[in-house]
Amino acid sequence: MSNPQQLRYSKEHEWLSAAEDGVATVGITEFAANALGDVVYAQLPEVGDTVTAGETCGELESTKSVSDLYSPVTGEITAANQDVVDDPSLVNSAPFEGGWLFKVRVTEEPKDLLSADEYTEFSGN
């Protein structure tokens, strides 16, 4: 399992792309997707919602459990991935590509986001 070097990671197992024009993409890591098992339902924040770093903003339900989804940054939701809502298995099959969850216009970014190497060490994979 390889965590893309260009992304940053939260200790809640979300990844964050570099912001383009202030907007970053958020998803969950492959480690988290594997731990969840087969994702069968995704409840994502809606466009216009405000999210706060470290706080719950949705949930993912799998055949094993229900897991809260946390925002790694503070900002306003600009897009939610309807493809994941329609086909939640994308979270498992393509967590770093088509399985992204939402886009957020970042207003505040915490200082404790991890690099790929730090996340790999943190998650033990």
Side-chain angles (χ1 to χ4, degrees):
M1 185 177 335
S2 177
N3 297 305
Q5 291 292 318
Q6 75 275 19
L7 302 176
R8 284 168 293 146
Y9 301 85
S10 74
K11 291 185 176 178
E12 286 80 25
H13 306 286
E14 281 83 23
W15 58 261
L16 176 76
S17 72
E20 293 181 28
D21 295 326
V23 177
T25 303
V26 175
I28 67 165
T29 65
E30 187 174 4
F31 173 81
N34 289 340
L36 273 172
D38 295 333
V39 177
V40 296
Y41 174 76
Q43 186 251 317
L44 304 177
E46 296 182 12
V47 172
D49 286 354
T50 300
V51 294
T52 302
E55 293 191 7
T56 304
C57 63
E59 70 180 28
L60 297 174
E61 184 177 327
S62 72
T63 55
K64 292 182 183 179
S65 67
V66 175
S67 179
D68 286 333
L69 176 62
Y70 297 90
S71 180
V73 293
T74 299
E76 181 180 338
I77 301 300
T78 62
N81 190 347
Q82 187 62 44
D83 291 343
V84 165
V85 173
D86 295 341
D87 181 8
S89 70
L90 287 170
V91 171
N92 298 104
S93 63
F96 296 114
E97 295 89 25
W100 63 273
L101 301 175
F102 60 89
K103 294 181 186 269
V104 57
R105 182 168 306 285
V106 179
T107 57
E108 186 179 333
E109 186 174 304
K111 303 285 185 234
D112 63 349
L113 292 176
L114 307 173
S115 69
D117 292 339
E118 290 167 333
Y119 179 75
T120 299
E121 185 176 323
F122 168 76
S123 62
N125 68 70

